[in-house]
Amino acid sequence: DNKVLDGIDMNIEKGEIVVVIGPSGSGKSTFLRCLNCMEDPTGGQIIFNGVDIADPKVDINVHRRHMGMVFQHFNLFNNKTVLQNIMLAPVYVRTHDKSEKKSKRQIVEEAKQEALELLDRIGLRDKADVYPSTLSGGQKQRVAIVRSMAMHPDVILFDEPTSALDPEMVGEVLELMKDLAKEGMTMVVVTHEMGFAREVASRVLFIDDGQIKEEAAPAEFFEHPKDPRLQEFLSKIL
C-alpha cells in the first residue's frame, strides 16, 4: 500500500550515500521502489534530474536508464551467462537509441569489452561464460551490482543487498559497495548492516510506519538518537 509513505519529504544530493533502516514492514522497500516508480505513487512528486518521474505523462523507462537497482535476490537471468547478463541492458538501450551512430556489431563489442573489465574489477572474469546457477550468493550479488554499473547510472538503489547471503559472503559485497561510495556514486541503500551505515553513509534515515522518524549523520544518528522509536530499535539490534 503506497499510502504508507504519506508525509515523506526529502532530498538526495549527488554523491550522497543515504542508508535507510527500520523494522520489517515499515515501508523501506516501498520507499525505494517508489524512487524509480517500480511502485506507482498515489500522490506527490519524485523529482529526478529536474523531471517529475511520478507524472504519468513522463516515459519512466527513459529515466530508469540512469537509475541502477540491486535486489535482495539478485534477479539475474538464469538462462543467460554472466557476461550476457551484464551486456543485455547496454546493448538493448544503445541499439534502440535513434541518436546512436555505431553499428550493432560495434555496440555489442564495446559492451562486451566493458562487461569483461567490470568482471575483472570484481575478480570474476573467469566466470564470464558460466550461468548464474553455478555462482555463490556473494558472486551473484557482485555480478548484479556491476550489471547496474554497466549502464553508468546517476544513482544506484540497493534493496537489502546482503540479507539473502550467508554471513561469510556479506563482506565481499559490502567491500564493492564501499568502493563505489569512494568513487562518488550516489547510493540509496536499504540495509540491516549497521556497520556499513556507520562507516559509509553520509546520512542515515529511520523509517517506521511509513514515515521518516529521524535522519542524521551516522555519528549523531547512532550515538544520540532522539526519536523514542529509534532508541528502542537501536537498543534491540546493537
Side-chain angles (χ1 to χ4, degrees):
D1 182 359
N2 294 335
K3 291 181 181 178
V4 74
L5 297 174
D6 284 352
I8 283 186
D9 183 9
M10 63 173 294
N11 294 313
I12 298 171
E13 303 297 335
K14 184 175 178 62
E16 267 199 296
I17 298 92
V18 177
V19 172
V20 183
I21 70 169
S24 297
S26 61
K28 304 184 302 298
S29 292
T30 300
F31 165 66
L32 198 72
R33 291 166 68 88
C34 280
L35 293 182
N36 67 356
C37 295
M38 291 184 71
E39 298 278 359
D40 291 326
T42 55
Q45 294 180 308
I46 301 169
I47 308 299
F48 179 60
N49 288 340
V51 177
D52 179 10
I53 61 174
D55 184 339
K57 297 189 290 293
V58 169
D59 184 353
I60 184 59
N61 289 319
V62 171
H63 299 281
R64 281 195 184 127
R65 296 174 189 175
H66 306 285
M67 274 192 190
M69 183 86 179
V70 178
F71 299 90
Q72 180 178 353
H73 295 290
F74 326 125
N75 285 25
L76 298 174
F77 295 104
N78 288 319
N79 63 331
K80 295 186 180 296
T81 66
V82 166
L83 187 65
Q84 289 169 338
N85 265 278
I86 299 171
M87 292 174 57
L88 182 63
V91 169
Y92 178 85
V93 168
R94 290 184 61 187
T95 54
H96 287 78
D97 183 352
K98 294 179 181 179
S99 66
E100 179 63 62
K101 304 300 183 183
K102 295 180 179 178
S103 68
K104 182 173 181 178
R105 182 175 180 178
Q106 288 175 302
I107 291 170
V108 169
E109 188 55 40
E110 289 178 2
K112 180 178 180 180
Q113 184 58 40
E114 181 170 16
L116 290 171
E117 289 171 1
L118 287 168
L119 287 172
D120 270 334
R121 171 173 177 164
I122 59 172
L124 293 177
R125 188 177 181 128
D126 61 323
K127 304 293 186 182
D129 297 319
V130 307
Y131 289 89
S133 60
T134 68
L135 302 179
S136 71
Q139 290 171 333
K140 288 178 183 177
Q141 196 59 292
R142 284 184 289 154
V143 170
I145 292 172
V146 298
R147 177 179 63 175
S148 288
M149 293 166 59
M151 288 294 290
H152 302 283
D154 293 323
V155 59
I156 301 181
L157 312 176
F158 294 84
D159 190 4
E160 300 193 27
T162 61
S163 62
L165 302 180
D166 293 334
E168 66 268 25
M169 297 176 182
V170 169
E172 60 194 42
V173 172
L174 292 180
E175 283 303 314
L176 177 57
M177 294 172 67
K178 289 176 186 177
D179 288 343
L180 289 177
K182 291 174 185 174
E183 293 168 9
M185 174 60 71
T186 308
M187 300 160 62
V188 185
V189 186
V190 171
T191 186
H192 296 294
E193 299 292 338
M194 298 300 112
F196 177 84
R198 284 178 181 268
E199 180 181 349
V200 179
S202 49
R203 184 162 38 127
V204 186
L205 309 182
F206 175 66
I207 290 184
D208 186 46
D209 195 26
Q211 295 186 340
I212 297 175
K213 295 293 183 69
E214 191 157 337
E215 60 177 298
E220 180 70 17
F221 186 92
F222 288 106
E223 300 302 328
H224 305 288
K226 298 177 179 61
D227 181 78
R229 182 68 182 92
L230 174 58
Q231 293 172 357
E232 177 190 6
F233 180 78
L234 291 178
S235 71
K236 292 178 178 178
I237 65 171
L238 294 180

